[in-house]
Amino acid sequence: MDSKSLQHNRLVSEEISRKPDHKEGQNGDEQLVAEIMGRCFFPSLITNQAWEGFHFAGQKIKITEATESYGAVVWPSALVLCHFLETNVKSCNMVDKTVIEIGAGTGLVSIVASFLGARVIATDLPELLGNLQYNLRRNTKMRCTHEPQVKELFWGVDLEKNFPRSLYRFDYILAADVVYHHPYLEELLLTFDHLCTENTVIIWAMRFRLEKENQFVDRFKKLFDLEVISDFPSLSITLFKAKRRHRVKWSLNTAS
Ligand SMILES: C[S@@+](CC[C@H](N)C(=O)[O-])C[C@H]1O[C@@H](n2cnc3c(N)ncnc32)[C@H](O)[C@@H]1O
């Protein structure tokens, strides 16, 4: 692994261990967390191309990281979401479902959803799309029924133009670790709202960090019925399922 990858991996694992009240055996979720985190493996040989490996949906997945950005690494929330999709194929059946992932980063969640049979559109900021496309193609080409698509989605920007409601009706919206110290929380809410029909199910893994960001959950609850699927205190991650309550006229002016 090159020094940049090592640095990224350190960033993610440091974030897990930084949680102040985390002590061995205290949270009761250690076994499941170890099972989820154990899906990660690293190349046994150092080659000129760095990647991280994961086992999900019976497949070996190789993820190449992007240049330095929050979307450059696979965050623990993504592993939690992948594990949920893999272990809940009956209650959350992906076969032939239309799925959009927002803030897809390196693409691991979209790849796993594709292996489970979904028609996936993986979205993120423009600078992430090259690496995202690379990971999706490398892992899914000729290996799943519907090869995933990549599309730019800057939260809150040109939503109706790029994702007209008349054309895009998603069964699922997937999101892993999209709430953190960025200035686009209202736009993120607008994006969830725009992409949701009355039947869309949101599966969202949220890493709890700072109070200001955590308040996003309360704003989210005004628009969506939110249900906790599972909780991982060791990781400060909660996995939520949500459906839209009812459509209200929503704008940036009314969002605060
Ligand atoms: C912490 S990373 C999580 C990446 C991936 N979901 C994971 O869990 O490994 C947050 C992701 O949100 C994306 N993001 C941040 N702000 C965004 C915005 N305004 N519009 C679209 N995507 C954004 C970042 O590019 C990044 O891929």
Side-chain angles (χ1 to χ4, degrees):
M1 219 182 313
D2 65 15
S3 61
K4 195 179 275 181
S5 302
L6 283 170
Q7 201 184 328
H8 286 151
N9 291 338
R10 217 174 296 126
L11 189 80
V12 175
S13 55
E14 271 174 15
E15 210 204 352
I16 296 170
S17 58
R18 217 184 294 132
K19 183 172 183 276
D21 62 353
H22 174 66
K23 288 201 188 86
E24 191 73 32
Q26 197 185 46
N27 294 308
D29 62 348
E30 286 74 12
Q31 203 176 337
L32 185 54
V33 167
E35 144 75 11
I36 294 171
M37 295 303 145
R39 300 303 185 89
C40 186
F41 68 97
F42 300 100
S44 51
L45 276 179
I46 295 179
T47 63
N48 59 1
Q49 200 195 19
W51 52 269
E52 270 190 82
F54 301 88
H55 286 292
F56 282 109
Q59 305 280 342
K60 212 171 177 176
I61 300 165
K62 287 184 178 180
I63 294 291
T64 296
E65 294 167 340
T67 50
E68 282 165 23
S69 99
Y70 281 101
V73 279
V74 176
W75 292 87
S77 298
L79 301 188
V80 165
L81 185 41
C82 289
H83 185 266
F84 170 79
L85 293 177
E86 182 204 82
T87 52
N88 289 274
V89 289
K90 281 197 181 137
S91 60
C92 188
N93 187 347
M94 290 280 119
V95 177
D96 296 333
K97 298 293 189 303
T98 52
V99 172
I100 185 165
E101 184 186 5
I102 60 169
T106 59
L108 179 64
V109 171
S110 287
I111 291 165
V112 172
S114 300
F115 282 142
L116 294 171
R119 300 171 193 271
V120 180
I121 302 180
T123 69
D124 210 305
L125 297 170
E127 61 268 30
L128 271 303
L129 298 187
N131 189 61
L132 179 58
Q133 177 76 73
Y134 176 79
N135 282 327
L136 259 52
R137 193 164 288 164
R138 168 193 200 172
N139 286 287
T140 63
K141 197 166 167 42
M142 314 287 279
R143 286 171 75 192
C144 53
T145 318
H146 312 290
E147 283 181 22
Q149 309 295 307
V150 167
K151 197 165 154 73
E152 178 182 327
L153 199 177
F154 202 128
W155 299 331
V157 176
D158 290 336
L159 292 172
E160 182 54 27
K161 182 173 159 225
N162 296 332
F163 294 89
R165 281 204 177 109
S166 54
L167 283 185
Y168 290 91
R169 298 185 72 78
F170 296 106
D171 296 305
Y172 289 97
I173 299 173
L174 304 178
D177 207 354
V178 289
V179 177
Y180 52 96
H181 60 278
H182 61 67
Y184 300 106
L185 292 177
E186 298 310 332
E187 288 80 357
L188 175 61
L189 202 51
L190 276 172
T191 303
F192 274 124
D193 183 52
H194 179 84
L195 297 173
C196 256
T197 67
E198 56 285 0
N199 296 319
T200 306
V201 175
I202 299 171
I203 312 280
W204 166 32
M206 159 95 181
R207 173 76 208 267
F208 285 82
R209 295 184 179 90
L210 302 175
E211 187 48 35
K212 183 174 176 288
E213 302 142 27
N214 298 348
Q215 288 166 3
F216 178 85
V217 176
D218 295 326
R219 297 210 294 284
F220 186 89
K221 278 201 261 189
K222 288 184 182 157
L223 280 182
F224 300 92
D225 284 321
L226 192 61
E227 182 191 322
V228 173
I229 302 176
S230 47
D231 205 20
F232 300 89
S234 305
L235 301 171
S236 300
I237 291 173
T238 300
L239 188 62
F240 292 113
K241 181 177 178 176
K243 283 194 89 171
R244 212 204 14 248
R245 280 170 186 272
H246 49 78
R247 184 168 293 291
V248 289
K249 187 93 181 108
W250 189 252
S251 74
L252 280 178
N253 295 336
T254 58
S256 54

